[in-house]
Amino acid sequence: SLLVFILAYAVTWLFFGLIWWFIAYCRGDLDHLEDHAWTPCVNNLNGFVSAFLFSIETETTIGYGHRVITDKCPEGIVLLLLQAILGSMVNAFMVGCMFVKISQPNKRAETLVFSSHAVVSLRDDRLCLMFRVGDLRDSHIVEASIRAKLIKSKQTQEGEFIPLDQTDLSVGFETGDDRLFLVSPLIISHEIDERSPFWDVSRHQLEKDDFEIVVILEGMVEATG
């Protein structure tokens, strides 16, 4: 990312510096360096290095001092406008790239672990589907919330076949238990009651059915937001 960041600016400065030098070369400015009666496109531009420096000053708006464009160079004015516009676009693009890079904590996601298996067991004399989630890092995840979806093929009463039907599994949305405070590993529980899609499923049918449960844990990293 740092290499792309540096190259985006360096290549742009070099490219426009070459064009500024090429304009001065084609107009004959480099052949009239000591001619005070000659009006060049850019004052005090005497080679590629000075053209490169003028390109940096133009794009970064550092400010003109020794080198400045004159009003006798229409092609230079057009190039100045193009470089100013392109420079703003490069700035916006690179700032956006760095922001996206920072706001996607891929390494942070690897430290959130789920239990290898989910179990169906009695809890407070109620059948529950349970699994465990834990955070391995010391820095906490702020406003963490969890939800689960059952993905399973379904056929409606009218005979329509839905290959990937999604059904919400309640993991405490009504009671607020879906809001987690991950200071230690927590057991997430889905109660198998009349509203659960597993209510009419027997143990043997559960072992044979083809379905998938997707669990989504969302939150903000405390350090970076």
Side-chain angles (χ1 to χ4, degrees):
S1 296
L2 290 176
L3 180 63
V4 172
F5 187 84
I6 294 172
L7 286 178
Y9 287 103
V11 171
T12 307
W13 295 338
L14 286 171
F15 174 73
F16 280 100
L18 183 63
I19 297 179
W20 284 114
W21 174 84
F22 183 72
I23 291 177
Y25 176 79
C26 293
R27 294 181 80 254
D29 294 344
L30 302 180
D31 298 328
H32 298 80
L33 295 178
E34 303 299 331
D35 187 359
H36 298 288
W38 179 268
T39 303
C41 183
V42 179
N43 288 330
N44 300 303
L45 194 152
N46 52 22
F48 176 74
V49 176
S50 59
F52 175 66
L53 293 175
F54 179 75
S55 175
I56 296 177
E57 293 174 2
T58 300
E59 191 165 327
T60 58
T61 63
I62 292 175
Y64 301 110
H66 192 58
R67 280 172 294 273
V68 62
I69 190 172
T70 62
D71 57 356
K72 303 297 183 181
C73 182
E75 61 270 25
I77 296 174
V78 173
L79 180 61
L80 181 69
L81 293 174
L82 290 176
Q83 187 171 5
I85 295 172
L86 184 62
S88 300
M89 294 174 62
V90 170
N91 289 334
F93 178 75
M94 294 314 301
V95 170
C97 287
M98 296 304 293
F99 178 77
V100 170
K101 184 68 176 177
I102 294 174
S103 63
Q104 290 183 345
N106 297 324
K107 297 291 184 181
R108 188 68 179 86
E110 295 175 1
T111 59
L112 288 171
V113 291
F114 290 83
S115 54
S116 301
H117 301 89
V119 298
V120 176
S121 179
L122 285 174
R123 182 183 248 194
D124 294 332
D125 202 27
R126 299 175 182 175
L127 274 178
C128 296
L129 171 70
M130 294 177 287
F131 57 91
R132 181 174 290 178
V133 59
D135 187 5
L136 300 181
R137 286 201 183 181
D138 294 332
S139 59
H140 300 309
I141 292 182
V142 183
E143 297 183 6
S145 63
I146 195 167
R147 53 196 174 99
K149 283 187 175 292
L150 172 68
I151 301 178
K152 180 182 178 182
S153 300
K154 175 184 177 182
Q155 188 163 4
T156 64
Q157 297 180 0
E158 294 77 16
E160 179 187 2
F161 179 74
I162 305 176
L164 293 174
D165 182 58
Q166 299 184 13
T167 305
D168 283 326
L169 294 180
S170 175
V171 288
F173 178 76
E174 297 85 357
T175 59
D177 291 337
D178 61 327
R179 299 287 181 176
L180 307 181
F181 186 44
L182 280 176
V183 293
S184 63
L186 299 176
I187 296 178
I188 310 301
S189 176
H190 163 68
E191 183 180 342
I192 302 178
D193 53 12
E194 294 85 352
R195 298 173 297 173
S196 172
F198 296 117
W199 177 250
D200 297 326
V201 181
S202 64
R203 173 179 177 179
H204 298 290
Q205 185 179 355
L206 191 66
E207 295 174 348
K208 296 179 180 179
D209 276 353
D210 185 16
F211 65 89
E212 183 176 359
I213 298 176
V214 178
V215 179
I216 302 168
L217 177 63
E218 295 176 309
M220 291 190 298
V221 178
E222 185 181 32
T224 62

